[in-house]
PDB file of all heavy atoms in Angstrom:
ATOM      1  N   ASP A   1      20.035  50.641  41.569  1.00  0.00           N
ATOM      2  CA  ASP A   1      19.540  49.226  41.682  1.00  0.00           C
ATOM      3  C   ASP A   1      18.063  49.379  41.114  1.00  0.00           C
ATOM      4  O   ASP A   1      17.154  49.707  41.774  1.00  0.00           O
ATOM      5  CB  ASP A   1      19.414  48.716  43.060  1.00  0.00           C
ATOM      6  CG  ASP A   1      18.876  47.356  43.210  1.00  0.00           C
ATOM      7  OD1 ASP A   1      18.525  46.761  42.219  1.00  0.00           O
ATOM      8  OD2 ASP A   1      18.920  46.860  44.393  1.00  0.00           O
ATOM      9  N   LEU A   2      17.974  49.109  39.870  1.00  0.00           N
ATOM     10  CA  LEU A   2      16.708  49.290  39.131  1.00  0.00           C
ATOM     11  C   LEU A   2      15.574  48.340  39.576  1.00  0.00           C
ATOM     12  O   LEU A   2      14.508  48.716  39.683  1.00  0.00           O
ATOM     13  CB  LEU A   2      16.950  49.058  37.626  1.00  0.00           C
ATOM     14  CG  LEU A   2      17.780  50.026  36.937  1.00  0.00           C
ATOM     15  CD1 LEU A   2      17.967  49.796  35.430  1.00  0.00           C
ATOM     16  CD2 LEU A   2      17.415  51.505  37.143  1.00  0.00           C
ATOM     17  N   SER A   3      16.013  47.199  40.064  1.00  0.00           N
ATOM     18  CA  SER A   3      14.937  46.263  40.602  1.00  0.00           C
ATOM     19  C   SER A   3      14.462  46.740  41.927  1.00  0.00           C
ATOM     20  O   SER A   3      13.307  46.661  42.193  1.00  0.00           O
ATOM     21  CB  SER A   3      15.503  44.785  40.721  1.00  0.00           C
ATOM     22  OG  SER A   3      16.603  44.805  41.709  1.00  0.00           O
ATOM     23  N   ALA A   4      15.214  47.399  42.724  1.00  0.00           N
ATOM     24  CA  ALA A   4      14.788  47.999  44.001  1.00  0.00           C
ATOM     25  C   ALA A   4      13.831  49.140  43.703  1.00  0.00           C
ATOM     26  O   ALA A   4      12.791  49.318  44.378  1.00  0.00           O
ATOM     27  CB  ALA A   4      15.964  48.524  44.787  1.00  0.00           C
ATOM     28  N   ILE A   5      14.213  49.953  42.608  1.00  0.00           N
ATOM     29  CA  ILE A   5      13.335  51.028  42.270  1.00  0.00           C
ATOM     30  C   ILE A   5      11.991  50.541  41.768  1.00  0.00           C
ATOM     31  O   ILE A   5      10.905  51.090  42.183  1.00  0.00           O
ATOM     32  CB  ILE A   5      13.960  51.905  41.136  1.00  0.00           C
ATOM     33  CG1 ILE A   5      15.229  52.656  41.733  1.00  0.00           C
ATOM     34  CG2 ILE A   5      13.022  52.911  40.541  1.00  0.00           C
ATOM     35  CD1 ILE A   5      16.116  53.254  40.734  1.00  0.00           C
ATOM     36  N   ALA A   6      11.990  49.447  40.975  1.00  0.00           N
ATOM     37  CA  ALA A   6      10.701  48.872  40.429  1.00  0.00           C
ATOM     38  C   ALA A   6       9.939  48.327  41.639  1.00  0.00           C
ATOM     39  O   ALA A   6       8.655  48.498  41.652  1.00  0.00           O
ATOM     40  CB  ALA A   6      11.050  47.750  39.431  1.00  0.00           C
ATOM     41  N   ARG A   7      10.543  47.710  42.582  1.00  0.00           N
ATOM     42  CA  ARG A   7       9.831  47.148  43.729  1.00  0.00           C
ATOM     43  C   ARG A   7       9.156  48.314  44.501  1.00  0.00           C
ATOM     44  O   ARG A   7       8.024  48.229  44.924  1.00  0.00           O
ATOM     45  CB  ARG A   7      10.691  46.262  44.635  1.00  0.00           C
ATOM     46  CG  ARG A   7      10.968  44.972  44.042  1.00  0.00           C
ATOM     47  CD  ARG A   7      11.724  44.001  45.123  1.00  0.00           C
ATOM     48  NE  ARG A   7      12.898  44.700  45.731  1.00  0.00           N
ATOM     49  CZ  ARG A   7      14.122  44.637  45.282  1.00  0.00           C
ATOM     50  NH1 ARG A   7      14.386  43.969  44.121  1.00  0.00           N
ATOM     51  NH2 ARG A   7      15.074  45.191  45.952  1.00  0.00           N
ATOM     52  N   ALA A   8       9.856  49.340  44.822  1.00  0.00           N
ATOM     53  CA  ALA A   8       9.370  50.476  45.502  1.00  0.00           C
ATOM     54  C   ALA A   8       8.143  51.088  44.796  1.00  0.00           C
ATOM     55  O   ALA A   8       7.139  51.530  45.377  1.00  0.00           O
ATOM     56  CB  ALA A   8      10.490  51.568  45.739  1.00  0.00           C
ATOM     57  N   HIS A   9       8.327  51.242  43.476  1.00  0.00           N
ATOM     58  CA  HIS A   9       7.275  51.840  42.669  1.00  0.00           C
ATOM     59  C   HIS A   9       5.993  50.940  42.758  1.00  0.00           C
ATOM     60  O   HIS A   9       4.921  51.396  42.929  1.00  0.00           O
ATOM     61  CB  HIS A   9       7.673  51.958  41.227  1.00  0.00           C
ATOM     62  CG  HIS A   9       6.684  52.630  40.357  1.00  0.00           C
ATOM     63  ND1 HIS A   9       5.840  51.923  39.533  1.00  0.00           N
ATOM     64  CD2 HIS A   9       6.274  53.934  40.195  1.00  0.00           C
ATOM     65  CE1 HIS A   9       5.071  52.732  38.878  1.00  0.00           C
ATOM     66  NE2 HIS A   9       5.276  53.964  39.351  1.00  0.00           N
ATOM     67  N   ALA A  10       6.200  49.640  42.640  1.00  0.00           N
ATOM     68  CA  ALA A  10       5.003  48.668  42.692  1.00  0.00           C
ATOM     69  C   ALA A  10       4.295  48.796  44.071  1.00  0.00           C
ATOM     70  O   ALA A  10       3.178  48.765  44.180  1.00  0.00           O
ATOM     71  CB  ALA A  10       5.444  47.275  42.474  1.00  0.00           C
ATOM     72  N   ALA A  11       5.192  48.926  45.139  1.00  0.00           N
ATOM     73  CA  ALA A  11       4.584  48.932  46.473  1.00  0.00           C
ATOM     74  C   ALA A  11       3.863  50.277  46.716  1.00  0.00           C
ATOM     75  O   ALA A  11       2.731  50.328  47.306  1.00  0.00           O
ATOM     76  CB  ALA A  11       5.681  48.817  47.533  1.00  0.00           C
ATOM     77  N   ALA A  12       4.298  51.377  46.137  1.00  0.00           N
ATOM     78  CA  ALA A  12       3.594  52.622  46.352  1.00  0.00           C
ATOM     79  C   ALA A  12       2.382  52.710  45.493  1.00  0.00           C
ATOM     80  O   ALA A  12       1.352  53.153  45.960  1.00  0.00           O
ATOM     81  CB  ALA A  12       4.548  53.810  45.829  1.00  0.00           C
ATOM     82  N   ASN A  13       2.408  52.079  44.338  1.00  0.00           N
ATOM     83  CA  ASN A  13       1.238  51.913  43.449  1.00  0.00           C
ATOM     84  C   ASN A  13       0.099  51.163  44.183  1.00  0.00           C
ATOM     85  O   ASN A  13      -1.037  51.471  44.183  1.00  0.00           O
ATOM     86  CB  ASN A  13       1.598  51.427  42.164  1.00  0.00           C
ATOM     87  CG  ASN A  13       0.476  51.504  41.165  1.00  0.00           C
ATOM     88  OD1 ASN A  13      -0.159  52.485  41.003  1.00  0.00           O
ATOM     89  ND2 ASN A  13       0.141  50.380  40.545  1.00  0.00           N
ATOM     90  N   GLN A  14       0.614  49.979  44.750  1.00  0.00           N
ATOM     91  CA  GLN A  14      -0.398  49.105  45.429  1.00  0.00           C
ATOM     92  C   GLN A  14      -1.080  49.837  46.637  1.00  0.00           C
ATOM     93  O   GLN A  14      -2.202  49.844  46.759  1.00  0.00           O
ATOM     94  CB  GLN A  14       0.342  47.876  45.948  1.00  0.00           C
ATOM     95  CG  GLN A  14      -0.641  46.946  46.733  1.00  0.00           C
ATOM     96  CD  GLN A  14       0.156  45.746  47.195  1.00  0.00           C
ATOM     97  OE1 GLN A  14       1.147  45.287  46.703  1.00  0.00           O
ATOM     98  NE2 GLN A  14      -0.476  45.010  48.208  1.00  0.00           N
ATOM     99  N   GLU A  15      -0.225  50.533  47.421  1.00  0.00           N
ATOM    100  CA  GLU A  15      -0.867  51.234  48.584  1.00  0.00           C
ATOM    101  C   GLU A  15      -1.700  52.350  48.156  1.00  0.00           C
ATOM    102  O   GLU A  15      -2.794  52.558  48.798  1.00  0.00           O
ATOM    103  CB  GLU A  15       0.321  51.853  49.431  1.00  0.00           C
ATOM    104  CG  GLU A  15      -0.101  52.454  50.667  1.00  0.00           C
ATOM    105  CD  GLU A  15      -1.006  51.554  51.525  1.00  0.00           C
ATOM    106  OE1 GLU A  15      -0.713  50.332  51.681  1.00  0.00           O
ATOM    107  OE2 GLU A  15      -2.014  52.085  52.071  1.00  0.00           O
ATOM    108  N   ALA A  16      -1.400  53.074  47.039  1.00  0.00           N
ATOM    109  CA  ALA A  16      -2.332  54.123  46.451  1.00  0.00           C
ATOM    110  C   ALA A  16      -3.575  53.490  46.097  1.00  0.00           C
ATOM    111  O   ALA A  16      -4.679  54.046  46.364  1.00  0.00           O
ATOM    112  CB  ALA A  16      -1.623  54.951  45.410  1.00  0.00           C
ATOM    113  N   LEU A  17      -3.588  52.362  45.369  1.00  0.00           N
ATOM    114  CA  LEU A  17      -4.817  51.853  44.906  1.00  0.00           C
ATOM    115  C   LEU A  17      -5.745  51.306  46.055  1.00  0.00           C
ATOM    116  O   LEU A  17      -6.878  51.468  46.072  1.00  0.00           O
ATOM    117  CB  LEU A  17      -4.498  50.673  43.927  1.00  0.00           C
ATOM    118  CG  LEU A  17      -3.931  51.037  42.543  1.00  0.00           C
ATOM    119  CD1 LEU A  17      -3.533  49.706  41.829  1.00  0.00           C
ATOM    120  CD2 LEU A  17      -5.125  51.684  41.762  1.00  0.00           C
ATOM    121  N   LEU A  18      -4.957  50.654  47.049  1.00  0.00           N
ATOM    122  CA  LEU A  18      -5.763  50.132  48.278  1.00  0.00           C
ATOM    123  C   LEU A  18      -6.387  51.306  49.030  1.00  0.00           C
ATOM    124  O   LEU A  18      -7.474  51.151  49.482  1.00  0.00           O
ATOM    125  CB  LEU A  18      -4.858  49.282  49.037  1.00  0.00           C
ATOM    126  CG  LEU A  18      -4.504  47.823  48.404  1.00  0.00           C
ATOM    127  CD1 LEU A  18      -3.511  47.118  49.271  1.00  0.00           C
ATOM    128  CD2 LEU A  18      -5.763  47.017  48.222  1.00  0.00           C
ATOM    129  N   GLU A  19      -5.652  52.395  49.119  1.00  0.00           N
ATOM    130  CA  GLU A  19      -6.173  53.557  49.877  1.00  0.00           C
ATOM    131  C   GLU A  19      -7.478  54.005  49.193  1.00  0.00           C
ATOM    132  O   GLU A  19      -8.414  54.376  49.887  1.00  0.00           O
ATOM    133  CB  GLU A  19      -5.119  54.641  49.886  1.00  0.00           C
ATOM    134  CG  GLU A  19      -5.582  55.880  50.735  1.00  0.00           C
ATOM    135  CD  GLU A  19      -4.496  56.856  50.871  1.00  0.00           C
ATOM    136  OE1 GLU A  19      -3.345  56.561  50.688  1.00  0.00           O
ATOM    137  OE2 GLU A  19      -4.792  58.041  51.115  1.00  0.00           O
ATOM    138  N   HIS A  20      -7.465  54.164  47.895  1.00  0.00           N
ATOM    139  CA  HIS A  20      -8.693  54.617  47.139  1.00  0.00           C
ATOM    140  C   HIS A  20      -9.837  53.614  47.397  1.00  0.00           C
ATOM    141  O   HIS A  20     -10.940  54.024  47.538  1.00  0.00           O
ATOM    142  CB  HIS A  20      -8.355  54.693  45.630  1.00  0.00           C
ATOM    143  CG  HIS A  20      -7.715  56.085  45.284  1.00  0.00           C
ATOM    144  ND1 HIS A  20      -8.433  57.200  45.085  1.00  0.00           N
ATOM    145  CD2 HIS A  20      -6.482  56.364  45.117  1.00  0.00           C
ATOM    146  CE1 HIS A  20      -7.562  58.171  44.785  1.00  0.00           C
ATOM    147  NE2 HIS A  20      -6.359  57.701  44.817  1.00  0.00           N
ATOM    148  N   ALA A  21      -9.434  52.299  47.231  1.00  0.00           N
ATOM    149  CA  ALA A  21     -10.463  51.299  47.463  1.00  0.00           C
ATOM    150  C   ALA A  21     -11.092  51.364  48.828  1.00  0.00           C
ATOM    151  O   ALA A  21     -12.328  51.217  48.973  1.00  0.00           O
ATOM    152  CB  ALA A  21      -9.891  49.926  47.216  1.00  0.00           C
ATOM    153  N   ARG A  22     -10.250  51.484  49.830  1.00  0.00           N
ATOM    154  CA  ARG A  22     -10.755  51.626  51.259  1.00  0.00           C
ATOM    155  C   ARG A  22     -11.658  52.780  51.416  1.00  0.00           C
ATOM    156  O   ARG A  22     -12.582  52.775  52.279  1.00  0.00           O
ATOM    157  CB  ARG A  22      -9.611  51.717  52.212  1.00  0.00           C
ATOM    158  CG  ARG A  22      -8.796  50.419  52.425  1.00  0.00           C
ATOM    159  CD  ARG A  22      -7.733  50.683  53.464  1.00  0.00           C
ATOM    160  NE  ARG A  22      -6.696  49.686  53.338  1.00  0.00           N
ATOM    161  CZ  ARG A  22      -5.443  49.880  52.825  1.00  0.00           C
ATOM    162  NH1 ARG A  22      -5.037  51.105  52.610  1.00  0.00           N
ATOM    163  NH2 ARG A  22      -4.605  48.901  52.755  1.00  0.00           N
ATOM    164  N   MET A  23     -11.476  53.849  50.649  1.00  0.00           N
ATOM    165  CA  MET A  23     -12.312  55.035  50.701  1.00  0.00           C
ATOM    166  C   MET A  23     -13.572  54.940  49.804  1.00  0.00           C
ATOM    167  O   MET A  23     -14.370  55.772  49.736  1.00  0.00           O
ATOM    168  CB  MET A  23     -11.596  56.323  50.358  1.00  0.00           C
ATOM    169  CG  MET A  23     -10.522  56.663  51.440  1.00  0.00           C
ATOM    170  SD  MET A  23      -9.721  58.306  51.121  1.00  0.00           S
ATOM    171  CE  MET A  23      -8.725  57.843  49.693  1.00  0.00           C
ATOM    172  N   GLY A  24     -13.679  53.676  49.215  1.00  0.00           N
ATOM    173  CA  GLY A  24     -14.816  53.407  48.275  1.00  0.00           C
ATOM    174  C   GLY A  24     -14.750  54.155  46.964  1.00  0.00           C
ATOM    175  O   GLY A  24     -15.804  54.253  46.207  1.00  0.00           O
ATOM    176  N   ARG A  25     -13.549  54.534  46.574  1.00  0.00           N
ATOM    177  CA  ARG A  25     -13.448  55.165  45.262  1.00  0.00           C
ATOM    178  C   ARG A  25     -12.963  54.264  44.157  1.00  0.00           C
ATOM    179  O   ARG A  25     -12.100  53.439  44.431  1.00  0.00           O
ATOM    180  CB  ARG A  25     -12.392  56.341  45.391  1.00  0.00           C
ATOM    181  CG  ARG A  25     -12.723  57.443  46.287  1.00  0.00           C
ATOM    182  CD  ARG A  25     -11.603  58.371  46.351  1.00  0.00           C
ATOM    183  NE  ARG A  25     -11.935  59.430  47.315  1.00  0.00           N
ATOM    184  CZ  ARG A  25     -10.968  60.305  47.756  1.00  0.00           C
ATOM    185  NH1 ARG A  25      -9.699  60.226  47.289  1.00  0.00           N
ATOM    186  NH2 ARG A  25     -11.223  61.257  48.503  1.00  0.00           N
ATOM    187  N   SER A  26     -13.533  54.395  43.025  1.00  0.00           N
ATOM    188  CA  SER A  26     -13.099  53.684  41.889  1.00  0.00           C
ATOM    189  C   SER A  26     -11.859  54.431  41.317  1.00  0.00           C
ATOM    190  O   SER A  26     -11.752  55.644  41.563  1.00  0.00           O
ATOM    191  CB  SER A  26     -14.120  53.594  40.785  1.00  0.00           C
ATOM    192  OG  SER A  26     -15.232  52.816  41.252  1.00  0.00           O
ATOM    193  N   VAL A  27     -11.027  53.695  40.579  1.00  0.00           N
ATOM    194  CA  VAL A  27      -9.862  54.313  39.856  1.00  0.00           C
ATOM    195  C   VAL A  27      -9.926  53.941  38.359  1.00  0.00           C
ATOM    196  O   VAL A  27     -10.532  52.935  38.034  1.00  0.00           O
ATOM    197  CB  VAL A  27      -8.523  54.002  40.483  1.00  0.00           C
ATOM    198  CG1 VAL A  27      -8.403  54.457  41.860  1.00  0.00           C
ATOM    199  CG2 VAL A  27      -8.275  52.453  40.424  1.00  0.00           C
ATOM    200  N   CYS A  28      -9.270  54.737  37.539  1.00  0.00           N
ATOM    201  CA  CYS A  28      -9.287  54.374  36.146  1.00  0.00           C
ATOM    202  C   CYS A  28      -7.930  53.864  35.703  1.00  0.00           C
ATOM    203  O   CYS A  28      -6.883  54.138  36.379  1.00  0.00           O
ATOM    204  CB  CYS A  28      -9.771  55.544  35.256  1.00  0.00           C
ATOM    205  SG  CYS A  28      -8.716  56.960  35.402  1.00  0.00           S
ATOM    206  N   GLU A  29      -7.889  52.959  34.707  1.00  0.00           N
ATOM    207  CA  GLU A  29      -6.666  52.508  34.142  1.00  0.00           C
ATOM    208  C   GLU A  29      -6.886  52.368  32.698  1.00  0.00           C
ATOM    209  O   GLU A  29      -7.974  52.345  32.163  1.00  0.00           O
ATOM    210  CB  GLU A  29      -6.086  51.277  34.880  1.00  0.00           C
ATOM    211  CG  GLU A  29      -6.839  50.058  34.516  1.00  0.00           C
ATOM    212  CD  GLU A  29      -6.221  48.838  35.247  1.00  0.00           C
ATOM    213  OE1 GLU A  29      -5.486  48.945  36.169  1.00  0.00           O
ATOM    214  OE2 GLU A  29      -6.573  47.654  34.820  1.00  0.00           O
ATOM    215  N   TRP A  30      -5.725  52.161  31.927  1.00  0.00           N
ATOM    216  CA  TRP A  30      -5.762  52.093  30.555  1.00  0.00           C
ATOM    217  C   TRP A  30      -5.744  50.528  30.152  1.00  0.00           C
ATOM    218  O   TRP A  30      -4.759  49.819  30.697  1.00  0.00           O
ATOM    219  CB  TRP A  30      -4.571  52.760  29.930  1.00  0.00           C
ATOM    220  CG  TRP A  30      -4.532  52.862  28.428  1.00  0.00           C
ATOM    221  CD1 TRP A  30      -3.752  52.013  27.624  1.00  0.00           C
ATOM    222  CD2 TRP A  30      -5.094  53.838  27.625  1.00  0.00           C
ATOM    223  NE1 TRP A  30      -3.950  52.418  26.310  1.00  0.00           N
ATOM    224  CE2 TRP A  30      -4.800  53.500  26.308  1.00  0.00           C
ATOM    225  CE3 TRP A  30      -6.024  54.821  27.873  1.00  0.00           C
ATOM    226  CZ2 TRP A  30      -5.353  54.198  25.283  1.00  0.00           C
ATOM    227  CZ3 TRP A  30      -6.509  55.576  26.809  1.00  0.00           C
ATOM    228  CH2 TRP A  30      -6.183  55.297  25.574  1.00  0.00           C
ATOM    229  N   ARG A  31      -6.758  50.077  29.490  1.00  0.00           N
ATOM    230  CA  ARG A  31      -6.808  48.650  29.051  1.00  0.00           C
ATOM    231  C   ARG A  31      -7.209  48.501  27.622  1.00  0.00           C
ATOM    232  O   ARG A  31      -8.202  49.002  27.269  1.00  0.00           O
ATOM    233  CB  ARG A  31      -7.839  47.855  29.918  1.00  0.00           C
ATOM    234  CG  ARG A  31      -7.323  47.353  31.196  1.00  0.00           C
ATOM    235  CD  ARG A  31      -8.352  46.437  31.735  1.00  0.00           C
ATOM    236  NE  ARG A  31      -8.286  46.370  33.231  1.00  0.00           N
ATOM    237  CZ  ARG A  31      -9.160  45.930  33.989  1.00  0.00           C
ATOM    238  NH1 ARG A  31     -10.295  45.454  33.545  1.00  0.00           N
ATOM    239  NH2 ARG A  31      -9.057  45.874  35.317  1.00  0.00           N
ATOM    240  N   ASP A  32      -6.402  47.846  26.846  1.00  0.00           N
ATOM    241  CA  ASP A  32      -6.678  47.581  25.430  1.00  0.00           C
ATOM    242  C   ASP A  32      -7.108  48.816  24.649  1.00  0.00           C
ATOM    243  O   ASP A  32      -8.115  48.886  23.889  1.00  0.00           O
ATOM    244  CB  ASP A  32      -7.872  46.571  25.343  1.00  0.00           C
ATOM    245  CG  ASP A  32      -7.524  45.220  25.946  1.00  0.00           C
ATOM    246  OD1 ASP A  32      -6.333  44.841  25.844  1.00  0.00           O
ATOM    247  OD2 ASP A  32      -8.378  44.612  26.591  1.00  0.00           O
ATOM    248  N   GLY A  33      -6.424  49.915  24.952  1.00  0.00           N
ATOM    249  CA  GLY A  33      -6.625  51.150  24.250  1.00  0.00           C
ATOM    250  C   GLY A  33      -7.800  51.955  24.761  1.00  0.00           C
ATOM    251  O   GLY A  33      -8.266  52.923  24.035  1.00  0.00           O
ATOM    252  N   LYS A  34      -8.328  51.611  25.877  1.00  0.00           N
ATOM    253  CA  LYS A  34      -9.481  52.310  26.391  1.00  0.00           C
ATOM    254  C   LYS A  34      -9.226  52.657  27.947  1.00  0.00           C
ATOM    255  O   LYS A  34      -8.554  51.939  28.552  1.00  0.00           O
ATOM    256  CB  LYS A  34     -10.784  51.442  26.319  1.00  0.00           C
ATOM    257  CG  LYS A  34     -11.159  51.191  24.825  1.00  0.00           C
ATOM    258  CD  LYS A  34     -12.414  50.289  24.975  1.00  0.00           C
ATOM    259  CE  LYS A  34     -12.778  49.932  23.452  1.00  0.00           C
ATOM    260  NZ  LYS A  34     -13.866  48.990  23.399  1.00  0.00           N
ATOM    261  N   VAL A  35      -9.903  53.678  28.421  1.00  0.00           N
ATOM    262  CA  VAL A  35      -9.922  53.983  29.887  1.00  0.00           C
ATOM    263  C   VAL A  35     -11.012  53.186  30.418  1.00  0.00           C
ATOM    264  O   VAL A  35     -12.175  53.250  29.932  1.00  0.00           O
ATOM    265  CB  VAL A  35     -10.057  55.453  30.061  1.00  0.00           C
ATOM    266  CG1 VAL A  35     -10.200  55.827  31.553  1.00  0.00           C
ATOM    267  CG2 VAL A  35      -8.947  56.232  29.459  1.00  0.00           C
ATOM    268  N   VAL A  36     -10.738  52.445  31.496  1.00  0.00           N
ATOM    269  CA  VAL A  36     -11.782  51.663  32.160  1.00  0.00           C
ATOM    270  C   VAL A  36     -11.652  51.940  33.686  1.00  0.00           C
ATOM    271  O   VAL A  36     -10.628  52.235  34.178  1.00  0.00           O
ATOM    272  CB  VAL A  36     -11.667  50.136  31.959  1.00  0.00           C
ATOM    273  CG1 VAL A  36     -11.961  49.796  30.523  1.00  0.00           C
ATOM    274  CG2 VAL A  36     -10.276  49.691  32.363  1.00  0.00           C
ATOM    275  N   TRP A  37     -12.876  51.965  34.296  1.00  0.00           N
ATOM    276  CA  TRP A  37     -12.950  52.234  35.695  1.00  0.00           C
ATOM    277  C   TRP A  37     -12.859  50.927  36.434  1.00  0.00           C
ATOM    278  O   TRP A  37     -13.602  49.967  36.122  1.00  0.00           O
ATOM    279  CB  TRP A  37     -14.258  53.007  35.997  1.00  0.00           C
ATOM    280  CG  TRP A  37     -14.042  54.456  35.627  1.00  0.00           C
ATOM    281  CD1 TRP A  37     -14.447  54.995  34.461  1.00  0.00           C
ATOM    282  CD2 TRP A  37     -13.559  55.516  36.414  1.00  0.00           C
ATOM    283  NE1 TRP A  37     -14.177  56.294  34.451  1.00  0.00           N
ATOM    284  CE2 TRP A  37     -13.596  56.698  35.634  1.00  0.00           C
ATOM    285  CE3 TRP A  37     -12.993  55.594  37.666  1.00  0.00           C
ATOM    286  CZ2 TRP A  37     -13.137  57.875  36.043  1.00  0.00           C
ATOM    287  CZ3 TRP A  37     -12.423  56.802  38.108  1.00  0.00           C
ATOM    288  CH2 TRP A  37     -12.568  57.952  37.295  1.00  0.00           C
TER     289      TRP A  37
END
């Protein structure tokens, strides 16, 4: 079930991002061909 896999991946990604934010850490991502914090 690819949609279930996509939902699980999105939920895990959200929890990881929020965990970093709760610890006061910035994260980087790729936007418009550049790495941004």
Side-chain angles (χ1 to χ4, degrees):
D1 183 357
L2 298 180
S3 61
I5 293 169
R7 287 190 308 272
H9 183 261
N13 189 49
Q14 176 179 342
E15 185 53 39
L17 287 171
L18 289 172
E19 183 177 339
H20 277 277
R22 286 184 202 110
M23 291 186 287
R25 297 179 182 166
S26 297
V27 296
C28 61
E29 72 179 17
W30 188 260
R31 276 192 206 163
D32 300 322
K34 297 177 185 176
V35 175
V36 295
W37 285 93

